[in-house]
Amino acid sequence: GGIFRDNGQELDVLEILKRYGINWVRLRLWNDPYDENGAEYGGGTCDLAAVLALAGRAERAGMKWLLNIQYSDFWTDPGCQMVPKSWRGLDERGLENAVYRYTRDVLSACRAAGVTPDMVQVGNELTGGLLWPTGQLWQEEGQPHWDSAVRYLSAGVRAVREEAPQARTIIHLDHGGKNLMYREWFDHFFGLGGDCDMIGLSFYPCWHGKMPDLAANMNDLAVRYGKDLVVIEAGTAFTSDSYAAHEGRDEGHRKGPTAGADMAETLEYPMTVQGQTAYIQDLMQIIRAVPENRGKGFFWWEPAWLPVPGSGWAKQPGWEYIGKEGPEGNEWANQTLFDFDGNVLPTLSVIRNFH
């Protein structure tokens, strides 16, 4: 339902993004984002059919695409990595086999649809592991399950290399400025036989610290592990306002923006259009300066999440499934690359004009 405009001209969002030099799309995949009655969890209901349709749109627009397989039925991040409903009760060997078969089957379906991905992200923000509890890391009590987590991820990477050998594999953590965390994580991962083509990082100023920390981490990782790097999730706010304040209405959820005015004093970049453009300019400079030309780019998360009706992160079955309170709406609308009304922000011109 979103309407997107460039200088007043209403266009398809991918056409607009391509005008501004955006050449990749990142698509998340959930195993089964429906409850037992078939009701959608929401958040885009990113099942395989949705991913294939969006991948087709991206390819028709002349863009490459990254497939982010989350190995869960709904959102995953460092604080939530739920086993898919159909995999519950499997032991560790069973989960390892399930990851392999599922990854293989998904890529086979992509190939059959004529939309094989150019890159595959195995898991999502894996700092705390995946497929909890057997693949959980950094626990308050007990030992981290490194052996299991690495086996699960290796099964996914192996399936990609067999079914989509041209696609690059990427492993992604959050907190892109924490070099010691990345070193400890990837020392374990590679030391236990894990492998990937690329390392992905998340970096949001509202959560992840200062830009010099990101630069130092990327510069070290490139040399230490000899891997190409992508800031797989980048973003900051163009305003501290909620869209409810903008439109003078209730925005349909209990909280304001994820990045709100309460964070303003601690941020390196102000929550303004000028702050957003300064952030992306600095980010691109950091990526370009990574040694050995291993800084390959970034993905903005989420550039087009406009606050239109029904655009919340979850519907009732979804927030109940994940164990959170509702109702929830769009708490990210001030961190897009379009304003609340769908007009292109100047940040896109900074991206296009970067040299």
Side-chain angles (χ1 to χ4, degrees):
I3 297 174
F4 300 86
R5 301 176 181 89
D6 183 18
N7 292 316
Q9 183 183 12
E10 185 177 324
L11 295 166
D12 179 85
V13 65
L14 293 184
E15 182 178 348
I16 294 175
L17 291 171
K18 190 177 179 184
R19 282 185 174 186
Y20 288 90
I22 307 301
N23 56 359
W24 281 75
V25 169
R26 175 173 175 246
L27 303 176
R28 62 180 171 268
L29 173 64
W30 294 323
N31 288 42
D32 180 28
Y34 303 87
D35 70 9
E36 62 276 8
N37 298 314
E40 298 177 355
Y41 289 159
T45 311
C46 302
D47 61 7
L48 183 57
V51 168
L52 293 177
L54 289 168
R57 283 182 61 189
E59 292 205 349
R60 288 191 295 275
M63 304 168 86
K64 296 184 177 181
W65 71 286
L66 181 160
L67 173 62
N68 172 204
I69 308 178
Q70 299 205 358
Y71 303 107
S72 188
D73 292 333
F74 208 35
W75 299 99
T76 61
D77 57 41
C80 185
Q81 297 278 341
M82 297 175 68
V83 172
K85 295 183 291 293
S86 63
W87 297 2
R88 290 174 184 169
L90 296 178
D91 61 14
E92 293 174 33
R93 180 54 60 88
L95 287 171
E96 180 182 356
N97 291 336
V99 168
Y100 173 80
R101 291 194 306 270
Y102 179 73
T103 307
R104 182 193 62 196
D105 292 347
V106 163
L107 292 171
S108 177
C110 290
R111 185 173 61 251
V115 288
T116 302
D118 301 280
M119 189 185 302
V120 179
Q121 181 185 326
V122 180
N124 187 66
E125 287 195 326
L126 295 162
T127 312
L130 74 165
L131 298 175
W132 291 355
T134 61
Q136 190 167 4
L137 308 174
W138 314 132
Q139 301 179 89
E140 293 184 6
E141 298 181 4
Q143 294 298 312
H145 300 297
W146 277 108
D147 287 340
S148 299
V150 173
R151 286 203 309 273
Y152 300 157
L153 294 172
S154 296
V157 170
R158 185 171 71 254
V160 175
R161 290 181 171 160
E162 292 175 4
E163 289 291 324
Q166 80 291 347
R168 305 197 75 190
T169 57
I170 187 163
I171 298 293
H172 166 217
L173 310 185
D174 74 327
H175 275 285
K178 289 191 173 182
N179 180 245
L180 289 178
M181 183 194 84
Y182 273 74
R183 286 167 55 181
E184 182 173 357
W185 202 100
F186 281 102
D187 281 353
H188 276 98
F189 179 71
F190 293 130
L192 289 169
D195 193 21
C196 60
D197 299 311
M198 308 179 76
I199 292 173
L201 310 90
S202 291
F203 190 81
Y204 300 105
C206 61
W207 291 319
H208 296 159
K210 305 295 185 181
M211 282 291 215
D213 297 324
L214 174 67
N217 188 30
M218 294 185 74
N219 293 345
D220 177 65
L221 295 174
V223 175
R224 182 178 299 274
Y225 300 116
K227 300 291 183 182
D228 290 344
L229 306 174
V230 175
V231 180
I232 210 79
E233 292 187 19
T236 196
F238 66 87
T239 178
S240 61
D241 290 341
S242 69
Y243 66 85
H246 170 71
E247 296 186 350
R249 64 178 175 83
D250 177 12
E251 56 193 299
H253 60 78
R254 60 188 170 84
K255 296 187 290 185
T258 298
D262 57 320
M263 297 180 174
E265 293 184 3
T266 65
L267 291 180
E268 187 175 5
Y269 298 91
M271 291 183 182
T272 61
V273 171
Q274 294 76 18
Q276 190 186 68
T277 59
Y279 162 81
I280 198 60
Q281 179 74 29
D282 290 350
L283 179 70
M284 291 187 292
Q285 294 281 8
I286 285 169
I287 293 170
R288 185 170 64 182
V290 171
E292 303 175 5
N293 194 34
R294 291 197 175 276
K296 296 303 181 183
F298 69 94
F299 291 82
W300 192 276
W301 203 91
E302 207 301 342
W305 196 354
L306 297 187
V308 298
S311 70
W313 72 266
K315 298 180 180 180
Q316 183 169 348
W319 72 65
E320 289 179 350
Y321 173 75
I322 211 167
K324 294 191 176 182
E325 296 179 31
E328 292 288 1
N330 182 341
E331 299 166 11
W332 212 268
N334 67 333
Q335 298 188 70
T336 57
L337 294 177
F338 298 84
D339 68 17
F340 294 140
D341 297 315
N343 298 299
V344 164
L345 288 170
T347 314
L348 277 167
S349 293
V350 175
I351 295 170
R352 179 186 59 195
N353 298 333
F354 181 75
H355 297 292

